């Protein structure tokens, strides 16, 4: 592999890093060194550290030929930036090194499996674009530097079973199973415009063979299932996909790009997955392309791109980078649902604690010590017929605010960031069906300068959105139409 293009990209990133102060970044969410980022890639544990790669275009705040950026962490909270891992340069990936995953090999090397997108010819199609193809490729490294496999690509369009596209064939997620074999799920568009998830198998992670179709979409569940992830948690098998062109269904599924999870049973001998249920993974505004891994202590942990494709076309004026990741989340399965919680390591960064018990709220109320933009706050709302609406204002001052509102009659939680300072005609509001649990609605709210992540009723639902509100707007208030009773635990999060 030629080193010149990689060297140039690494040097460019280092120069751009000098232009962005720590205050312009979130405290504990991953961002790119410069330019644009999207999907998390290669999320894995290697050499006593968590490694996270990401889709990266360092030269612009807009999507472009995909590179792989790279960060590491000891605790999933604070991250160290490493040099870029990969750049598009070979015939099979000169249009981009697209999304993929990572795993440690028995010989101690770190394997990255990714989609290479290359030009098929230099003759434009009817739409003026050059034709491309998508293949699955490998790179092997030591945690810092990676070499692309000399026999790339390892899975090509020739391996796609009948009825599938060789152009839309991407996002491999690799794992090693108990039988000693490596497996990978790959997304594939079908000739009828829907999608399916293909399962591949390998004895050594380098030579692959097609196994079967694990599951497929229909008109209701989107046109292309991107970024598949397949794993077992608490005895239940879960297939996570990010559908394009999703059809809405009440307040359960929202139109456009979404993330859903399919739960069911999986026979490891026949490789048959029998779907039992489909649920949204996050019901907020900005969440896409999640990827998970298993930590050394056995936890299933997931991270996602904290953005949405329709919103990503509008980059706020003056920003020096665009895109960030969610806080990693611990995943469990209980009562028919995936339960998401912030990774427990975030609690090590808790500072000053403020507690209020059973406070009655009617007119807009400010609680002493409850403010800020970098915090971990839990609000417990008793749901009674004494109020018609309850509202929390975040990141607020005389000009700006973002709100979380609960309507106990409709049992609907609403997000609204119309006044957050994101001055584009994009999606700013979302309604979510939320039923009380034990007579309460519990909201754990994590803020980090430019984002809000809400964990509803102990993580049985989540809602995520980014903000571009000036940091001076840091007030928090509570109000009710009627009389509402709340308890609040607020921790400042402290980072050196």
């Amino acid at each position: 592999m030629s080193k010149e293009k990689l060297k140039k990209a690494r040097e460019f990133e280092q120069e751009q890093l000098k232009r962005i102060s720590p205050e312009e970044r979130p405290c504990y969410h991953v961002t790119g060194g410069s330019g644009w980022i999207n999907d998390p890639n290669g999320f894995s544990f290697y050499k006593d550290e968590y490694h996270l790669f990401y889709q990266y275009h360092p030269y612009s705040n807009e999507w472009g030929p995909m590179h792989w950026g790279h960060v590491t962490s000891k605790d999933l909270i604070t991250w160290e930036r490493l040099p870029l891992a990969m750049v598009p340069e070979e015939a099979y990936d000169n249009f981009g090194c697209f999304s993929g995953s990572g795993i440690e090999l028995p010989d101690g090397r770190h394997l990255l499996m990714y989609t290479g997108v290359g030009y098929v010819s230099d003759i434009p199609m009817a739409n003026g674009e050059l034709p491309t193809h998508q293949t699955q490729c490998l790179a092997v490294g030591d945690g810092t530097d990676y070499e692309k496999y000399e026999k790339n690509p390892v899975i090509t369009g020739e391996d796609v079973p009948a009825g599938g596209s060789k152009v839309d064939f991407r996002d491999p997620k690799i794992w090693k199973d108990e039988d000693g074999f490596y497996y990978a799920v790959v997304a594939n568009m079908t000739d009828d415009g829907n999608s399916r998830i293909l399962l591949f198998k390998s004895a050594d992670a380098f030579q692959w063979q097609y196994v079967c179709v694990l599951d497929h979409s229909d008109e209701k569940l989107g046109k292309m299932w991107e970024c598949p992830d397949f794993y077992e948690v608490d005895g239940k098998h879960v297939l996570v996909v990010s559908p394009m062109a999703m059809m809405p269904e009440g307040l359960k599924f929202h139109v456009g790009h979404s993330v859903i999870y399919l739960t069911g049973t999986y026979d490891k001998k026949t490789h048959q997955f029998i779907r039992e249920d489909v649920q949204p993974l996050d019901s907020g505004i900005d969440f896409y392309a999640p990827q998970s891994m298993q930590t050394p202590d056995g936890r299933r942990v997931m991270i996602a791109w904290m953005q949405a494709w329709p919103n990503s076309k509008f980059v706020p004026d003056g920003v020096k980078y665009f895109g960030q990741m969610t806080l990693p989340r611990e995943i469990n399965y209980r009562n028919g649902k995936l339960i998401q919680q912030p990774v427990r390591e975030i609690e090590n960064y808790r500072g000053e604690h403020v507690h209020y018990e059973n406070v009655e709220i009617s007119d807009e109320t400010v609680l002493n010590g409850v403010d800020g933009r970098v915090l971990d706050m839990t609000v417990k709302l008793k749901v009674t017929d004494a109020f018609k609406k309850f509202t929390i204002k975040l990141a607020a001052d005389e000009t700006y605010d973002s709100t979380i509102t609960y309507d106990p009659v409709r049992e609907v939680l609403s997000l609204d960031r119309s006044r957050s300072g994101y001055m584009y005609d994009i999606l700013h509001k979302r309604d979510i069906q939320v039923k009380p649990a034990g007579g309460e609605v519990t909201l754990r709210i994590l803020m980090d300068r430019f984002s809000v992540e809400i964990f509803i009723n102990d993580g049985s639902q989540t809602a995520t959105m980014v903000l571009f509100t000036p940091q001076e707007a840091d007030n928090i208030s509570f109000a009710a139409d009627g009389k509402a009773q709340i308890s609040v635990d607020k921790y400042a999060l402290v980072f050196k």
Side-chain angles (χ1 to χ4, degrees):
M1 175 174 79
S2 168
K3 299 291 187 181
E4 190 57 36
K5 194 171 182 181
L6 179 63
K7 180 174 180 288
K8 176 186 173 184
R10 287 179 168 183
E11 290 175 349
F12 178 84
E13 182 184 53
Q14 286 302 311
E15 285 299 316
Q16 295 304 303
L17 285 171
K18 300 173 185 177
R19 299 176 55 246
I20 306 174
S21 67
E23 291 73 27
E24 295 175 273
R25 297 186 186 272
C27 292
Y28 59 95
H29 286 77
V30 171
T31 61
S34 64
W36 160 286
I37 69 170
N38 55 283
D39 307 355
N41 297 154
F43 191 30
S44 52
F45 192 78
Y46 178 69
K47 288 187 176 178
D48 300 321
E49 288 185 309
Y50 296 98
H51 287 253
L52 177 67
F53 304 81
Y54 47 85
Q55 293 286 272
Y56 188 29
H57 186 226
Y59 299 111
S60 168
N61 282 345
E62 298 180 354
W63 187 94
M66 286 291 99
H67 300 51
W68 272 40
H70 189 190
V71 291
T72 60
S73 176
K74 295 288 189 183
D75 67 356
L76 295 166
I77 305 297
T78 59
W79 297 86
E80 177 185 353
R81 195 172 307 284
L82 270 67
L84 280 84
M86 287 193 289
V87 299
E89 57 186 338
E90 305 292 344
Y92 53 79
D93 68 10
N94 53 20
F95 185 72
C97 302
F98 277 38
S99 288
S101 47
I103 195 170
E104 183 172 356
L105 295 172
D107 62 9
R109 294 180 297 166
H110 199 201
L111 178 76
L112 306 180
M113 188 176 193
Y114 71 100
T115 297
V117 182
Y119 293 110
V120 176
S121 79
D122 56 2
I123 301 174
M125 298 182 292
N127 62 4
E129 296 179 358
L130 294 176
T132 61
H133 63 130
Q134 300 182 357
T135 59
Q136 313 320 313
C137 306
L138 303 174
V140 181
D142 60 4
T144 301
D145 296 306
Y146 293 82
E147 292 284 347
K148 294 176 184 176
Y149 183 44
E150 65 271 12
K151 295 182 181 180
N152 276 342
V154 296
I155 306 176
T156 72
E158 300 305 314
D159 300 300
V160 174
S165 168
K166 298 180 182 181
V167 176
D168 289 299
F169 175 47
R170 57 184 177 268
D171 309 335
K173 176 62 191 298
I174 187 175
W175 74 94
K176 191 175 185 179
D177 221 326
E178 298 166 352
D179 61 4
F181 284 89
Y182 295 89
Y183 292 89
V185 283
V186 187
N188 184 222
M189 179 78 84
T190 56
D191 292 341
D192 61 3
N194 291 312
S195 185
R196 58 189 181 180
I197 302 302
L198 307 181
L199 180 66
F200 291 86
K201 178 180 180 179
S202 173
D204 62 359
F206 290 88
Q207 300 179 70
W208 292 85
Q209 64 185 53
Y210 167 72
V211 178
C212 65
V213 173
L214 199 63
D215 205 342
H216 60 86
S217 70
D218 52 34
E219 292 182 359
K220 174 184 172 183
L221 294 177
K223 294 297 183 184
M224 176 65 183
W225 284 358
E226 296 190 300
C227 302
D229 196 358
F230 188 58
Y231 53 84
E232 183 178 4
V233 59
D234 297 326
K236 181 63 64 173
H237 274 87
V238 181
L239 175 62
V240 177
V241 293
S242 296
M244 302 168 64
M246 184 90 170
M247 287 293 290
E249 181 186 318
L251 298 183
K252 181 178 181 180
F253 298 125
H254 301 288
V255 68
H257 287 63
S258 301
V259 180
I260 59 175
Y261 66 92
L262 304 90
T263 51
T265 60
Y266 176 61
D267 187 321
K268 292 190 176 184
K269 293 183 178 180
T270 64
H271 304 294
Q272 184 178 27
F273 175 69
I274 300 175
R275 186 200 306 176
E276 298 171 346
D277 193 21
V278 185
Q279 295 287 337
L281 189 57
D282 187 280
S283 298
I285 297 172
D286 295 299
F287 184 95
Y288 198 70
Q291 187 171 107
S292 75
M293 62 161 290
Q294 192 166 33
T295 64
D297 60 5
R299 291 174 289 164
R300 175 63 55 175
V301 173
M302 175 190 74
I303 193 168
W305 181 37
M306 192 155 48
Q307 190 56 258
W309 278 113
N311 298 340
S312 68
K313 299 182 186 300
F314 301 93
V315 179
D317 297 334
V319 300
K320 298 175 184 176
Y321 65 91
F322 187 70
Q324 57 183 313
M325 301 299 171
T326 64
L327 176 69
R329 303 174 180 184
E330 296 184 19
I331 303 295
N332 292 102
Y333 182 81
R334 293 198 301 270
N335 301 321
K337 282 190 174 184
L338 283 188
I339 305 299
Q340 304 175 54
Q341 293 284 6
V343 287
R344 63 195 67 176
E345 286 86 346
I346 191 66
E347 297 174 14
N348 296 331
Y349 294 86
R350 285 176 169 176
E352 181 183 6
H353 177 217
V354 178
H355 174 72
Y356 289 88
E357 187 77 20
N358 296 332
V359 177
E360 187 175 276
I361 302 294
S362 54
D363 297 333
E364 187 166 350
T365 303
V366 174
L367 300 178
N368 187 41
V370 179
D371 57 6
R373 293 285 291 273
V374 184
L375 56 85
D376 181 354
M377 176 174 70
T378 298
V379 179
K380 293 186 176 181
L381 169 67
K382 292 187 177 179
V383 178
T384 69
D385 58 7
F387 69 94
K388 297 179 180 178
K389 185 173 71 172
F390 171 75
T391 300
I392 305 173
K393 280 187 180 180
L394 302 169
D397 62 9
E398 296 81 3
T399 305
Y400 303 100
D401 62 68
S402 294
T403 61
I404 305 168
T405 301
Y406 187 68
D407 180 335
V409 177
R410 297 170 57 221
E411 295 183 332
V412 170
L413 187 78
S414 300
L415 310 182
D416 187 346
R417 64 169 183 196
S418 302
R419 291 168 45 85
S420 71
Y422 204 174
M423 305 302 288
Y424 297 87
D425 186 17
I426 61 171
L427 179 65
H428 285 306
K429 299 180 180 181
R430 181 75 88 195
D431 288 343
I432 310 162
Q433 199 77 58
V434 173
K435 294 184 176 296
E440 293 184 332
V441 169
T442 301
L443 306 175
R444 185 176 176 187
I445 301 167
L446 275 83
M447 299 184 68
D448 185 10
R449 288 182 176 163
F450 309 106
S451 64
V452 180
E453 294 181 76
I454 308 165
F455 299 81
I456 305 163
N457 291 339
D458 296 323
S460 62
Q461 294 170 270
T462 62
T464 305
M465 63 180 176
V466 300
L467 305 177
F468 289 90
T469 313
Q471 296 304 300
E472 294 75 21
D474 63 356
N475 294 328
I476 297 174
S477 64
F478 308 89
D481 181 359
K483 293 183 179 180
Q485 193 173 91
I486 63 171
S487 297
V488 179
D489 280 285
K490 179 255 176 174
Y491 295 89
L493 293 176
V494 181
F495 298 87
K496 296 180 180 178

